[in-house]
Amino acid sequence: MAKTSIPSAFDALMQIRGTDILLISKQGLIVRINESAAEQFWYKEKELVGKHMEVLLPEDIRPQHRKFQEAYYKKPGNREMGKGRVTKGLRKDGKEFPIHAELGYFHEQGEEHVMVQVSVVHEIAHIVAQQQHDKVFAERILR
């Protein structure tokens, strides 16, 4: 069995539809973004690569985000972004929307990065509601 290289596995992960992923450099630049994530923010991938990730955040939270980003790199790891706070994204049209983001520390070609997996909050609510519905349905069948 052939081994899968990390770059090809990463490339495959980046192409999963419905999984919104960004790779952010330590300097805050978008190194990679998959099509699904770009579409959530109403951009094309090529419009965002090389831009500072703060273009995806409302202006009023950018200064605080910079402090959080500095703190993250002092103790990097896998964790939820904005735990206990409402986190917002900013679409290309200027509209803010609630998001949930998971952070993962990542090295690529000797550089430190953060991999960010983003979910739109209304999608999460829909998934939770569906899971609750499925649980109730299963309980009824098993009675």
Side-chain angles (χ1 to χ4, degrees):
M1 179 184 265
K3 284 188 175 180
T4 302
S5 68
I6 296 299
S8 66
F10 182 76
D11 289 341
L13 177 65
M14 290 293 287
Q15 298 311 312
I16 298 173
R17 295 289 306 157
T19 301
D20 305 338
I21 300 174
L22 299 91
L23 187 63
I24 309 295
S25 73
K26 189 172 183 178
Q27 295 74 31
L29 300 178
I30 300 171
V31 176
R32 293 181 72 177
I33 182 168
N34 68 357
E35 183 179 0
S36 185
E39 287 174 357
Q40 285 290 1
F41 292 93
W42 296 12
Y43 285 92
K44 300 281 186 201
E45 294 168 76
K46 64 183 178 182
E47 292 179 280
L48 290 171
V49 173
K51 301 275 193 221
H52 201 281
M53 61 81 50
E54 287 185 352
V55 300
L56 304 176
L57 298 176
E59 287 189 39
D60 63 327
I61 65 171
R62 292 176 186 176
Q64 186 66 31
H65 181 266
R66 287 183 206 118
K67 293 176 185 176
F68 289 135
Q69 190 176 14
E70 288 173 17
Y72 176 83
Y73 276 105
K74 289 178 182 173
K75 192 174 179 184
N78 300 335
R79 61 179 172 257
E80 180 181 347
M81 182 176 88
K83 189 168 185 161
R85 297 185 315 272
V86 174
T87 306
K88 294 181 182 178
L90 182 68
R91 289 195 172 109
K92 186 177 181 179
D93 69 350
K95 182 179 177 186
E96 296 180 15
F97 63 106
I99 61 172
H100 174 82
E102 293 289 335
L103 306 176
Y105 188 64
F106 187 82
H107 280 87
E108 184 177 63
Q109 300 176 358
E111 299 286 327
E112 293 179 287
H113 297 84
V114 176
M115 183 181 295
V116 183
Q117 192 274 323
V118 179
S119 302
V120 178
V121 171
H122 71 82
E123 291 174 2
I124 294 168
H126 174 74
I127 290 168
V128 169
Q130 184 63 47
Q131 288 172 339
Q132 290 172 340
H133 176 276
D134 292 348
K135 181 181 176 185
V136 170
F137 182 73
E139 289 171 351
R140 287 181 185 165
I141 290 174
L142 296 174
R143 285 186 194 166

